[in-house]
Amino acid sequence: MSDPTAIVSLKDVHKSFGPLKVLDGVSFSVARGEVMAIIGRSGSGKSTALRCIDRFERIDSGTIEVCGHRVDDPQVDLKALRQDIGIVFQSYNLFPHLTVEENITLAPCSVKRVAKAEAKSLARQVLAQVGLEDKLNSYPEQLSGGQQQRAAIARSLAMQPKVMLFDEVTSALDPELTGEVLKVIEALAADGMTMVMVTHEMGFAKGIADRIVFMHRGKVHEAGTAGILSAPATPELAQFVGTGF
């Protein structure tokens, strides 16, 4: 990795789905403890870039390194990679037949071989982090959308990842529930968690992100501090910020 401070590094990443070029030479890096927000219109490649970081999608060319793992290497140890990366999607993906506690303890017990008692203690700890300690024995259907998303974040935190990826985690929520989830992410940022967020919440991105990447037609079109939202250098970003999406 050319930048020794980078915990996530993408270099000249290309990805197509059939004839559709989704990522066209994407490069960016994220330092330890940094919060990066990726913004852009639907179809600009934001979520695909995120999914490539966790190897949910294989890239066609280029390199991706995360926490010392070469993600683009066909022989990469996916189990080890995914212990270092937590990912939360817009759909909560909680198991409906398991309680919140069981959802959270499942991976630490099965993947990391954590003892049951230790995993239960960890579940209480991460639920306290997201303000849901009283929902330990609830089932997902008994929770609001915002609570389910916070439980999904807690489940990722239980694996004690080095990087958290958030893919439009508030897009299915109404404004009040969105606020609940964003507060949790703000607290994680304050604690120094390295995060990469795909988001359409411009005010939130501006307030929390150390750096913002604007993607347009599969490329990193502009990147910089939150100041790029106030003073875009290109008409594409100016138009995007002006329309709000």
Side-chain angles (χ1 to χ4, degrees):
M1 198 182 284
S2 56
D3 180 356
T5 65
I7 195 167
V8 177
S9 174
L10 283 74
K11 289 182 198 157
D12 197 25
V13 170
H14 292 259
K15 171 71 181 173
S16 296
F17 293 109
L20 181 64
K21 186 90 169 175
V22 184
L23 299 178
D24 189 8
V26 169
S27 299
F28 61 77
S29 61
V30 186
R32 189 178 305 279
E34 187 174 33
V35 179
M36 175 180 281
I38 305 178
I39 62 172
R41 283 190 173 75
S42 253
S44 60
K46 313 181 299 293
S47 292
T48 300
L50 208 66
R51 291 171 68 85
C52 289
I53 291 172
D54 198 29
R55 187 58 185 273
F56 278 109
E57 301 287 355
R58 288 188 179 210
I59 62 175
D60 300 329
S61 62
T63 62
I64 301 180
E65 197 166 342
V66 183
C67 305
H69 305 282
R70 270 294 295 271
V71 180
D72 54 290
D73 180 353
Q75 306 304 316
V76 66
D77 182 340
L78 288 177
K79 185 177 171 184
L81 172 71
R82 288 177 184 156
Q83 286 188 38
D84 285 340
I85 303 175
I87 187 163
V88 183
F89 299 102
Q90 65 185 65
S91 52
Y92 327 118
N93 296 334
L94 297 169
F95 293 109
H97 62 291
L98 300 179
T99 64
V100 169
E101 181 186 60
E102 289 165 343
N103 264 285
I104 291 170
T105 57
L106 187 64
C109 290
S110 60
V111 177
K112 294 179 94 171
R113 303 284 181 230
V114 171
K116 195 80 176 175
E118 188 186 336
K120 283 176 173 255
S121 169
L122 189 58
R124 283 191 292 276
Q125 183 186 320
V126 293
L127 282 171
Q129 260 185 283
V130 301
L132 286 179
E133 51 271 71
D134 59 333
K135 301 297 183 185
L136 202 66
N137 299 310
S138 300
Y139 286 88
E141 65 176 16
Q142 297 171 305
L143 306 181
S144 71
Q147 289 170 332
Q148 288 187 57
Q149 194 57 287
R150 284 150 60 198
I153 293 171
R155 180 178 57 183
S156 280
L157 291 174
M159 290 297 283
Q160 299 174 313
K162 295 173 182 169
V163 181
M164 286 286 284
L165 309 177
F166 295 97
D167 188 10
E168 295 280 21
V169 293
T170 60
S171 63
L173 303 176
D174 66 35
E176 186 183 349
L177 299 181
T178 291
E180 280 179 22
V181 175
L182 297 184
K183 274 185 194 154
V184 168
I185 296 174
E186 272 176 9
L188 291 177
D191 285 345
M193 174 64 77
T194 308
M195 294 190 276
V196 185
M197 304 184 305
V198 168
T199 184
H200 62 282
E201 298 282 343
M202 290 301 109
F204 180 64
K206 199 170 183 175
I208 194 175
D210 298 301
R211 274 191 310 133
I212 292 176
V213 164
F214 170 57
M215 288 188 64
H216 182 65
R217 295 184 177 172
K219 295 177 183 284
V220 173
H221 201 71
E222 272 195 61
T225 64
I228 68 169
L229 297 180
S230 308
T234 63
E236 290 83 1
L237 180 55
Q239 188 182 19
F240 176 75
V241 174
T243 56
F245 37 69

